[in-house]
Amino acid sequence: MISIQVCVGSSCHLKGAHDVVQAFKKQISAYKLDNEVFLTGAFCLGKCLDGVSIKIDDELVLGVQPDNVPEIFQNRVLDILGG
Ligand code: FES
């Protein structure tokens, strides 16, 4: 089980956190990982200037946008699950 927390604080919200959440949902269902990946919202992760900020388990990932979600998903999430 891996957790992905997407910051939904006001700054990240304005930068498209909602679309980032949708993009992760898409990846999760494309790979049928609904039981492996726990996707939630998070309060401000303290990196508002570099948002959208997310946390994959304990690792902070900044500058997340819908178009880099597939790459992040493959490089980090699938890697952790596969390893
Ligand atoms: S609002 Fe997302 S890091 Fe602050």
Side-chain angles (χ1 to χ4, degrees):
M1 189 83 177
I2 187 171
S3 98
I4 302 178
Q5 298 178 56
V6 178
C7 176
V8 292
S10 45
S11 169
C12 290
H13 175 74
L14 289 175
K15 289 182 176 173
H18 180 74
D19 295 333
V20 168
V21 170
Q22 294 309 315
F24 273 114
K25 278 191 180 160
K26 245 193 196 163
Q27 294 292 311
I28 291 166
S29 65
Y31 288 98
K32 303 198 188 337
L33 291 173
D34 305 71
N35 294 325
E36 310 285 334
V37 181
F38 185 54
L39 180 67
T40 62
F43 293 114
C44 179
L45 295 174
K47 298 283 181 189
C48 310
L49 288 179
D50 299 316
V52 174
S53 313
I54 69 167
K55 243 180 165 186
I56 299 178
D57 284 342
D58 285 332
E59 185 188 7
L60 202 51
V61 183
L62 306 174
V64 182
Q65 286 299 312
D67 43 343
N68 60 19
V69 163
E71 190 191 322
I72 291 168
F73 199 82
Q74 279 173 20
N75 292 343
R76 312 213 183 215
V77 180
L78 295 182
D79 234 45
I80 295 172
L81 289 173

